[in-house]
Amino acid sequence: MPDSRIHSADVLAHNAAAWDRQAAAQCEWSRPVSAEVIASARNGDWSVHLTPSALPEGWLPDVRGQRILCLASGGGQQAPVLSAAGAQVTVLDASAAQLAQDDMVARRDGLTLTTVQGDMRDLSAFKDAAFDCILHPISNLYVPDIRPVWAECFRVLRQGGRLLSSFFNPVVFVADRSPEYAAQGIIRPRFKVPYSDVRDLTSSELAKRRSNSEALVFGHSLSEQIGGQLEAGFVLKGFYEDEQPKPRFVIEHFLPSFLATYAIKP
């Protein structure tokens, strides 16, 4: 099915609704942190994540007084922790229910943070150089085009500001996902990178995902991910790979699923 069958705005609305449902179901990324975690963060004992592992030393050493944008990372987890640690935090997410989790933790624990519903590709709600840091954990697979994300991140960061981002290794999207192949431990290449649910699934497969209210995903190439950051003007300062602790696909047993970058606006 060609991409024109589902417009970008339709993908955004569909995926926002899909994440609203995941938040209602308290999925892994929609379980607000406890009051104990917030109390520890207030005392200087805190951590946030781009991938399952902890951030490398020096990527985000001290957030006190920092203006931080948690980009497409609602859910009541990272933003409240950063706020409790002393940062001035804004969260932008497409899902109202995900943002509601952040608002709930803020009310519960007396935190100050700002929540904004919107598209990660359009940060026009924010002025130029509005932030010192952007935390953008694995979420850009939910939009079909990511170069606007990097361009907007560059614009809203101050000079010397940092972009901490993570995304899926694109090879994860290559294999056929048939349960039959998975049961046999077979990796059968079916899809080409960059991958698109909208373009690469059959009409019936795509209709099933939509009727099941599953989020539509896009496996962007490294040229779009890392190259896109460089094209936007960023300078790459750090990079690491991380493994999926609970592999869902055969290929994840053989290579790291997650890639993370630390980029600076010069």
Side-chain angles (χ1 to χ4, degrees):
M1 177 182 289
D3 279 325
S4 60
R5 295 282 294 275
I6 302 178
H7 296 293
S8 180
D10 296 328
V11 170
L12 177 67
H14 173 88
N15 283 352
W19 271 99
D20 284 349
R21 281 182 281 272
Q22 290 202 53
Q26 293 278 290
C27 79
E28 182 179 1
W29 305 113
S30 301
R31 297 173 194 155
V33 294
S34 67
E36 289 74 21
V37 168
I38 296 300
S40 294
R42 281 190 163 119
N43 290 325
D45 180 14
W46 61 272
S47 65
V48 291
H49 297 265
L50 289 172
T51 68
S53 297
L55 287 178
E57 185 176 355
W59 279 39
L60 195 60
D62 185 2
V63 299
R64 287 173 294 181
Q66 293 280 296
R67 301 166 300 164
I68 298 180
L69 172 62
C70 290
L71 182 58
S73 61
Q77 299 181 350
Q78 317 238 50
V81 167
L82 291 168
S83 177
Q88 302 172 36
V89 183
T90 299
V91 192
L92 182 138
D93 202 285
S95 165
Q98 283 286 85
L99 292 172
Q101 303 286 53
D102 292 292
D103 287 330
M104 182 278 290
V105 177
R107 289 193 304 271
R108 184 192 70 195
D109 297 319
L111 301 171
T112 300
L113 56 83
T114 301
T115 55
V116 179
Q117 186 174 11
D119 184 341
M120 70 182 84
R121 298 165 295 179
D122 177 9
L123 304 183
S124 57
F126 310 121
K127 296 179 181 179
D128 294 357
F131 299 102
D132 302 300
C133 176
I134 296 175
L135 189 72
H136 180 44
I138 299 167
S139 56
N140 67 29
L141 74 161
Y142 298 114
V143 293
D145 48 336
I146 59 169
R147 282 186 169 86
V149 177
W150 306 133
E152 282 288 83
C153 286
F154 191 85
R155 180 184 66 79
V156 302
L157 276 173
R158 66 165 173 82
Q159 188 174 5
R162 65 185 68 192
L163 168 65
L164 306 181
S165 66
S166 58
F167 39 86
F168 275 103
N169 188 329
V171 75
V172 170
F173 295 91
V174 168
D176 192 306
R177 301 163 202 159
S178 167
E180 175 186 352
Y181 293 123
Q184 299 176 62
I186 292 174
I187 301 171
R188 178 184 180 273
R190 176 185 171 189
F191 304 111
K192 186 176 180 179
V193 172
Y195 168 80
S196 164
D197 270 356
V198 174
R199 182 189 62 241
D200 296 324
L201 294 180
T202 65
S203 296
S204 60
E205 288 171 332
L206 180 57
K208 183 178 180 180
R209 283 192 71 84
R210 298 187 75 187
S211 64
N212 289 342
S213 300
E214 297 178 67
L216 301 174
V217 302
F218 305 85
H220 305 292
S221 69
L222 294 182
S223 292
E224 295 169 310
Q225 297 281 17
I226 298 175
Q229 292 182 36
L230 299 177
E231 289 167 13
F234 285 104
V235 174
L236 198 64
K237 188 176 177 67
F239 174 86
Y240 74 92
E241 302 172 299
D242 202 6
E243 295 186 353
Q244 169 63 263
K246 300 176 183 177
R248 301 158 301 161
F249 310 117
V250 176
I251 200 167
E252 291 183 309
H253 292 276
F254 299 94
L255 49 77
S257 301
F258 306 112
L259 309 177
T261 57
Y262 169 15
I264 293 286
K265 179 177 178 176

